Every structure is written in C-alpha cells, then in structure tokens.
Amino acid sequence: MTFTKTSQKFGQWADSRANTVFGLGFASEQQLTKFAEKFQEVKDAAKLAKDKSQEKGDTLSNHSQESGRETPSANQASSINGTDDEKISFSPETAQLKSENERLKSCVEQSNTTAKKYETELQTLKESNARLVDALQESSANVESWKKELTVCQEESETLRKKIGELEAQCKEANQEKQRNAQLTVRVKELEAELQEKEQELENLRRQAEIIPQLMGECESITAKLKVAESKNKELEGRIEGLQMDIDDSRQKQGNMKGELKKFMDVLDGKLDELHEFRQGLAKLGVDN
C-alpha cells in the first residue's frame, strides 16, 4: 500500500488484496504532507516489525530444532511432567517478540480505527459529492429552463421594441398631422377674416347698386324731360338757342353719368366674379381639410 498525492489537498492509496482505492481530502497541503509522512512511518514500522518477527521466528524455530536434537528426553519430560507455568515460560527473545507483536497489534488497531474513521469521512464525502452532483444536475436543468425563459423574454422584448418603434412612428405622424391641422386652422381663420372683409365690400357694393335704379329713374326722367323739351323746342324755337347750351350740358352730364354707371357696373361684375371664385376656393379648401 503506497500513499500518493494526487493534488495539493488530496491523496489516495490502493489495497490490492481488497481491490479497493481509498482517498482522503485535507483542508491544507501541510496536513496532507503530515499525513503522508505518518503513513509512510507506520508502513515502514510495520514492515520492520514484520521482518523482525520473521527473523525471530526463524531463529526460534532453528533453536528449538537444535534443542530437540540435543535433549529430546528432557524436553519430553518437561512437557509431560512440567507445570503450567513451565509450559508457558519463554526465552527473553520470545518476550521481546511478544511485546513487539503487542505494539504492532496496537498500531494495527490504531490504523484500523483511523481507517474506519477515514472510511466514515470518505462515506460522508461521497454522500456530499452525491448531493452536490444532484444539486449540480438540478442547477443545470434550472439553467436550461432559465436559458429558454431568457430566450422567450428576449423574443418578447424584441417584439415589444418593434411595437414601440411603430407606435413612436405613429405618434410622430400624429404630431405632424396635428401641426398641419393647426396650420390649416390658422389658414381657415385668415380666410374667414378675408371672407368677412369681402362680404363687407359686397355689402357696400350692394348699397351702391341700390342707388343705380334711382340714377336710372333720374336718367329716364331727364330723357322724358328732354323729349318734352324737344317737343317744346318746335314751339319754342326762340328759346332753343338759349336752352341749347343747357341741353348740351345736360347731355354731357348724362353721357358722363352713363360712363360712370358703366364703369361702376364693370367694377361690380368684377367684384362679383372675384367673390364667386373666392367662394369656390373656400369650398374646395374645406373639402380638402
């Protein structure tokens, strides 16, 4: 049996007769070294004691053989007629051998006790290792399940990130749409203000248009008067020359008034066309909005 250091804190030895390998773990390398030295010391002592006992046994056997050959009758007599104390009496070498055997027995018993202690500790270590193996297997299974859960969580996180990106894009578009709506609201208010101004202008033009019939009536009355004056002109030829200047002035005023009335009608038609186009544009803008 040879003790071998397999690492800094672990050693083992093999019992070839029992076909068993023993191993021990230590808290430090110093304890391992001390145990290895004590193991070797006990092994050497046991080997030395075994050699001594074998030599003494051989010496005893040779001595007894020589004694038997020299005095067989005396030995027979002592063995037959001797007492129990004489039967168990030995030589000094035998007593020394006996004491050596006792010491070796105590060493062997101590070694057996130590071996049992080590076996108990080894069994405890085996049980601990078994528990550790079970715990390691369980941890490995938990790690696999955690990896699967982590993969699922990562996939869900990626999906959520994509959804968040889509929602952010939608929010951005909504903000842009709000900005456009705000701009359109401002533009509509401006157009409403312009529309009110145009309506005010139209109202003014309508008021001015109400004066046109009066002017037309005045023109008709003037024309009637002119006809009357022309009819009377025949009768009042004498007055024609005097009144001719008045008539020319009246005609000139009438022509000027007709020109102004025509210009006013043209301006009114242009304003009405502009108002009509403005209403069409406003209606189109409201539809687009």
Side-chain angles (χ1 to χ4, degrees):
M1 297 171 63
T2 302
F3 185 79
T4 304
K5 295 180 182 180
T6 57
S7 66
Q8 292 182 353
K9 297 182 180 181
F10 193 83
Q12 64 183 18
W13 71 92
D15 187 356
S16 59
R17 292 174 299 179
N19 195 17
T20 304
V21 177
F22 300 95
L24 285 177
F26 297 87
S28 64
E29 188 176 1
Q30 295 178 355
Q31 294 180 1
L32 175 62
T33 304
K34 187 176 180 181
F35 179 83
E37 293 175 354
K38 184 62 68 175
F39 190 94
Q40 187 65 32
E41 182 181 348
V42 172
K43 180 181 177 182
D44 294 340
K47 185 176 181 182
L48 181 61
K50 182 178 179 182
D51 294 339
K52 286 183 179 181
S53 64
Q54 187 174 1
E55 290 176 359
K56 291 178 181 180
D58 294 339
T59 305
L60 260 176
S61 63
N62 293 332
H63 181 69
S64 62
Q65 288 177 2
E66 291 176 357
S67 315
R69 284 195 299 269
E70 290 176 355
T71 56
S73 59
N75 290 332
Q76 290 176 359
S78 63
S79 62
I80 294 173
N81 299 322
T83 63
D84 294 335
D85 294 334
E86 292 175 352
K87 289 180 181 179
I88 61 174
S89 62
F90 299 98
S91 64
E93 294 179 354
T94 305
Q96 184 179 1
L97 182 61
K98 184 177 180 182
S99 64
E100 189 70 25
N101 288 332
E102 291 294 332
R103 190 176 68 82
L104 288 174
K105 284 181 180 179
S106 64
C107 289
V108 171
E109 289 176 357
Q110 187 178 1
S111 299
N112 290 332
T113 303
T114 306
K116 289 180 180 179
K117 181 180 177 182
Y118 290 155
E119 287 178 358
T120 304
E121 293 179 356
L122 179 62
Q123 186 65 29
T124 304
L125 289 174
K126 286 182 179 179
E127 292 176 357
S128 299
N129 288 333
R131 288 195 297 270
L132 289 174
V133 169
D134 294 337
L136 182 61
Q137 292 177 354
E138 185 177 358
S139 299
S140 299
N142 291 331
V143 167
E144 292 296 330
S145 63
W146 292 339
K147 285 182 179 179
K148 292 180 181 178
E149 292 178 359
L150 180 61
T151 303
V152 174
C153 291
Q154 288 178 350
E155 292 177 354
E156 292 179 354
S157 299
E158 189 65 26
T159 304
L160 290 174
R161 285 179 183 175
K162 292 180 180 178
K163 289 183 178 179
I164 289 171
E166 294 176 356
L167 291 174
E168 288 179 351
Q170 293 177 0
C171 291
K172 189 174 181 181
E173 292 178 357
N175 292 328
Q176 293 177 356
E177 191 67 26
K178 286 181 179 179
Q179 293 178 357
R180 288 196 293 269
N181 290 333
Q183 294 175 357
L184 290 174
T185 303
V186 173
R187 181 60 180 165
V188 167
K189 289 181 179 179
E190 293 176 355
L191 292 174
E192 287 178 352
E194 292 179 1
L195 180 61
Q196 289 178 358
E197 293 178 357
K198 295 294 183 182
E199 287 179 352
Q200 186 66 31
E201 292 178 0
L202 182 61
E203 185 67 23
N204 294 331
L205 291 174
R206 284 178 180 175
R207 289 177 182 176
Q208 293 177 3
E210 290 177 355
I211 302 173
I212 293 174
Q214 295 178 1
L215 296 174
M216 294 295 292
E218 291 178 357
C219 290
E220 290 177 356
S221 64
I222 291 171
T223 304
K225 288 179 180 180
L226 182 59
K227 289 181 179 179
V228 171
E230 288 178 352
S231 63
K232 289 180 179 182
N233 192 22
K234 293 178 180 180
E235 295 176 357
L236 301 173
E237 291 180 355
R239 298 179 179 179
I240 289 174
E241 293 179 358
L243 296 174
Q244 187 67 38
M245 294 178 66
D246 295 334
I247 292 170
D248 292 335
D249 293 336
S250 297
R251 286 180 178 177
Q252 187 177 0
K253 291 180 179 179
Q254 185 178 3
N256 293 331
M257 190 176 294
K258 286 182 179 180
E260 290 177 0
L261 182 61
K262 185 176 181 182
K263 291 180 181 179
F264 181 76
M265 291 297 292
D266 293 333
V267 171
L268 181 61
D269 292 334
K271 294 291 183 180
L272 290 173
D273 293 334
E274 289 179 1
L275 182 62
H276 182 66
E277 292 176 357
F278 178 76
R279 284 185 176 178
Q280 287 182 352
L282 184 63
K284 185 178 181 181
L285 181 61
V287 171
D288 293 337
N289 190 18

